[in-house]
C-alpha cells in the first residue's frame, strides 16, 4: 500500500515545480492518474494538450488508445496501474523533451516509483524506454521483452500515438504486436 500522505506531499511539491523552462508554458503540472496502490506503473513521454489542460496523464487521443488497448486484455487503466510521464509539463507543440528537461524532471518519477513500489513497469515508447532504462535499441526491436532490474520487471511497448498512426490490426502490425505484449503483461500481473 502506498503511503497516501507521502504521495500527496510529493504531488504538492511536484505541482509547485519551476526547475525547468517547461514550467513557464504549462497550464498544469501532470503528476499522473490511476491507482497508486497498483502493482503496475505505466510511463509515457510527456503531457499533450489535453493533459496540460486537465492536469491528468493520458486523457487525450493517445490516452483513449491506451485505455482501449488495455481493456482489450481486461485491464483498467484507472484501477490496474498508475500512469505518469518522464516529464510532468507539456513540451511546447508536443516536441520531444530535451535531455536537460528529462534530467530535471526524472527525480519526481523516481520518487513516485519509490512510493508506489510497482512489480511491473510498462514503458510506452522510445522516450520512456531510453530515458528511464538508458536502452538505445529501437522500440521495434526491444518491445515485448521483459527486462529485469532491481526486482522490477520492465516491458517496453509501442507508444499509443504510434498506434494511432498505424491503425491496422493485421497480424504482425504494431497494434497486433502491442496486443501480444499486453497479454504477456496481463499474464505476469495475474501471477503476482
Ligand atoms: N502522451 C504521453 O506520452 N503522455 C501523456 O500523458 C499523453 C500523451
Amino acid at each position: 500500500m502506498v503511503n497516501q500522505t507521502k504521495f500527496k506531499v510529493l504531488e504538492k511539491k511536484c505541482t509547485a515545480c519551476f526547475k525547468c523552462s517547461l514550467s513557464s508554458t504549462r497550464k498544469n503540472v501532470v503528476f499522473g492518474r490511476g491507482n497508486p496502490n497498483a502493482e503496475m506503473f505505466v510511463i509515457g513521454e510527456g503531457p499533450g494538450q489535453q493533459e496540460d489542460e486537465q492536469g491528468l496523464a493520458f486523457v487525450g487521443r493517445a490516452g483513449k488508445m491506451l485505455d482501449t488497448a488495455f481493456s482489450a486484455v481486461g485491464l483498467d487503466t484507472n484501477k490496474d496501474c498508475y500512469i505518469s510521464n518522464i516529464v510532468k509539463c507539456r513540451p511546447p507543440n508536443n516536441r520531444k523533451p530535451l535531455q536537460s528537461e528529462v534530467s530535471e524532471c526524472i527525480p519526481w518519477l523516481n520518487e513516485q516509483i519509490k512510493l508506489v513500489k510497482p512489480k511491473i513497469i510498462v514503458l510506452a515508447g522510445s522516450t520512456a524506454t531510453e530515458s528511464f532504462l538508458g536502452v538505445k535499441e529501437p522500440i521495434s526491436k526491444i518491445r515485448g521483452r521483459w527486462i529485469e532490474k532491481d526486482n522490477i520487471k520492465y516491458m517496453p511497448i509501442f507508444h499509443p500515438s504510434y498506434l494511432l498512426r498505424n491503425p491496422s490490426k493485421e497480424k504482425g502490425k504494431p497494434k497486433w504486436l502491442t496486443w501480444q505484449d499486453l497479454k504477456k503483461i496481463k499474464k505476469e500481473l495475474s501471477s503476482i
Side-chain angles (χ1 to χ4, degrees), residues 92-156:
N93 303 315
N94 299 341
R95 64 157 169 76
K96 252 179 86 133
L98 306 175
Q99 186 48 55
S100 58
E101 293 158 354
V102 170
S103 307
E104 291 282 22
C105 204
I106 221 158
W108 295 119
L109 182 60
N110 289 332
E111 288 303 311
Q112 287 177 305
I113 290 170
K114 246 197 240 167
L115 292 173
V116 171
K117 299 190 251 353
K119 304 252 175 19
I120 292 173
I121 296 185
V122 177
L123 299 151
S126 56
T127 300
T129 307
E130 261 184 59
S131 311
F132 203 75
L133 286 182
V135 173
K136 287 233 158 59
E137 266 183 271
I139 191 75
S140 55
K141 284 254 156 56
I142 199 171
R143 55 135 282 279
R145 281 199 232 155
W146 288 114
I147 298 162
E148 204 160 340
K149 219 176 118 189
D150 303 328
N151 266 328
I152 299 178
K153 287 190 158 180
Y154 295 86
M155 166 85 70

Side-chain angles (χ1 to χ4, degrees), residues 10-185:
L10 182 66
E11 177 166 11
K12 212 165 168 208
K13 281 194 198 155
C14 179
T15 50
C17 177
F18 289 94
K19 281 197 279 183
C20 84
S21 61
L22 294 182
S23 60
S24 64
T25 48
R26 74 177 178 225
K27 288 197 175 110
N28 283 293
V29 172
V30 178
F31 189 65
R33 76 160 162 102
N35 176 8
N37 289 310
E39 308 282 12
M40 174 166 59
F41 201 114
V42 178
I43 306 176
E45 178 174 308
Q49 187 183 359
Q50 282 298 318
E51 290 76 17
D52 183 41
E53 274 165 20
Q54 297 182 43
L56 290 168
F58 278 107
V59 288
R61 279 183 75 224
K64 300 270 176 298
M65 172 57 78
L66 188 76
D67 290 353
T68 307
F70 271 53
S71 80
V73 298
L75 292 171
D76 180 333
T77 57
N78 282 318
K79 232 180 63 199
D80 297 311
C81 57
Y82 190 77
I83 312 180
S84 191
N85 286 300
I86 294 289
V87 295
K88 307 287 193 256
C89 297
R90 183 191 183 199
N93 303 315
N94 299 341
R95 64 157 169 76
K96 252 179 86 133
L98 306 175
Q99 186 48 55
S100 58
E101 293 158 354
V102 170
S103 307
E104 291 282 22
C105 204
I106 221 158
W108 295 119
L109 182 60
N110 289 332
E111 288 303 311
Q112 287 177 305
I113 290 170
K114 246 197 240 167
L115 292 173
V116 171
K117 299 190 251 353
K119 304 252 175 19
I120 292 173
I121 296 185
V122 177
L123 299 151
S126 56
T127 300
T129 307
E130 261 184 59
S131 311
F132 203 75
L133 286 182
V135 173
K136 287 233 158 59
E137 266 183 271
I139 191 75
S140 55
K141 284 254 156 56
I142 199 171
R143 55 135 282 279
R145 281 199 232 155
W146 288 114
I147 298 162
E148 204 160 340
K149 219 176 118 189
D150 303 328
N151 266 328
I152 299 178
K153 287 190 158 180
Y154 295 86
M155 166 85 70
I157 62 169
F158 285 123
H159 193 281
S161 300
Y162 183 71
L163 303 182
L164 286 170
R165 298 194 296 274
N166 294 274
S168 169
K169 288 184 179 162
E170 217 178 287
K171 189 173 176 183
K173 299 281 190 197
K175 259 192 166 173
W176 182 86
L177 292 169
T178 303
W179 187 41
Q180 311 310 308
D181 301 346
L182 292 174
K183 282 196 279 191
K184 275 194 206 171
I185 291 166

